[in-house]
Amino acid sequence: MDVVVNNAGYANLEPVETASDDEFRRQFETNFWGVYNVSKAAVPILRRQGGGIIIQFSSVGGRVGGTPGLGSYQAAKFGIDGLTRVLATETAPFGIRYLVVEPGGFATDWAGSSMNVHSIPDDYQASVGAFAERLRGTEQAGDPDRAAEILVRVAKRDNMPTHLVMGAYAAQLAMDYSRAQIEEAATWASVSASADFDAPRVELPTDEA
């Protein structure tokens, strides 16, 4: 077994507040536990044979997050990234390599008949409702065939990236988010350091809007 691809996933759309616990868990069963179960089954085989590749499909939402209505889906995708980072360090001595794929919008059925848009309360029309409307009226730019061809080429390399964002919009979104993260961490670095026992107390950054 050379390459394992965890590509199963789906999303339903509704606010976290009004989503049922069962609905939230059902999405997690596929989007996180499916990846966990397949990875856990594959690792012993790859370990015994001395290596292999596991490709985990996350989402650019699993890096950036914050999409209204996709609480369960994006929480699971964040979980995939965390799980994979641990697996990568644990199994590196066995020659097992990992790639987390983070697509943006692709021309699949993800936002089509496989997605249930549940009742959206009036209070959430400005956030979840607006996103649902954008989904219905957007033609996705991502080409699944091109993405598959890229992944085949990447998997043949000696040195793979740990993460691969797919799609121009997703790549820009990821870079903007990473820059904002670095800027925020730098702004609050002295406050972060002041939490240690022997550190002096410092003032908080200026509270500007």
Side-chain angles (χ1 to χ4, degrees):
M1 185 164 64
D2 299 314
V3 182
V4 176
V5 181
N6 275 308
N7 188 38
Y10 79 101
N12 289 335
L13 193 70
E14 59 186 325
V16 172
E17 180 186 348
T18 58
S20 72
D21 292 348
D22 286 345
E23 167 63 24
F24 211 90
R25 287 192 179 98
R26 275 196 297 271
Q27 290 181 71
F28 246 83
E29 284 295 330
T30 296
N31 298 325
F32 177 79
W33 288 109
V35 169
Y36 170 88
N37 289 329
V38 172
S39 298
K40 195 167 184 180
V43 163
I45 299 170
L46 300 180
R47 173 174 53 77
R48 288 193 295 268
Q49 71 184 26
I53 296 172
I54 298 180
I55 297 177
Q56 317 281 46
F57 266 77
S58 178
S59 163
V60 71
R63 177 190 293 230
V64 174
T67 305
L70 296 181
S72 178
Y73 179 80
Q74 290 190 341
K77 295 301 187 181
F78 270 89
I80 289 171
D81 190 25
L83 171 68
T84 304
R85 290 175 189 235
V86 173
L87 279 171
T89 56
E90 289 179 347
T91 64
F94 313 138
I96 303 174
R97 298 183 292 156
Y98 298 82
L99 173 63
V100 177
V101 184
E102 300 173 323
F106 272 73
T108 68
D109 190 48
W110 180 83
S113 60
S114 69
M115 175 183 283
N116 290 324
V117 178
H118 293 281
S119 177
I120 302 172
D122 290 342
D123 287 347
Y124 285 98
Q125 286 299 325
S127 55
V128 180
F131 177 68
E133 286 300 318
R134 287 201 302 275
L135 271 184
R136 293 189 187 100
T138 302
E139 184 175 338
Q140 304 299 339
D143 180 344
D145 291 334
R146 287 193 184 191
E149 187 269 336
I150 290 169
L151 290 176
V152 169
R153 285 194 286 137
V154 169
K156 292 178 179 178
R157 290 172 57 94
D158 292 332
N159 297 300
M160 295 192 310
T162 60
H163 296 72
L164 182 61
V165 180
M166 288 284 198
Y169 175 73
Q172 188 61 56
L173 198 65
M175 289 187 288
D176 290 346
Y177 180 72
S178 293
R179 292 188 189 102
Q181 276 192 308
I182 293 171
E183 182 179 340
E184 184 176 72
T187 298
W188 287 84
S190 62
V191 178
S192 301
S194 72
D196 291 348
F197 280 113
D198 59 351
R201 183 181 184 277
V202 300
E203 296 300 320
L204 300 182
T206 304
D207 192 5
E208 297 176 348

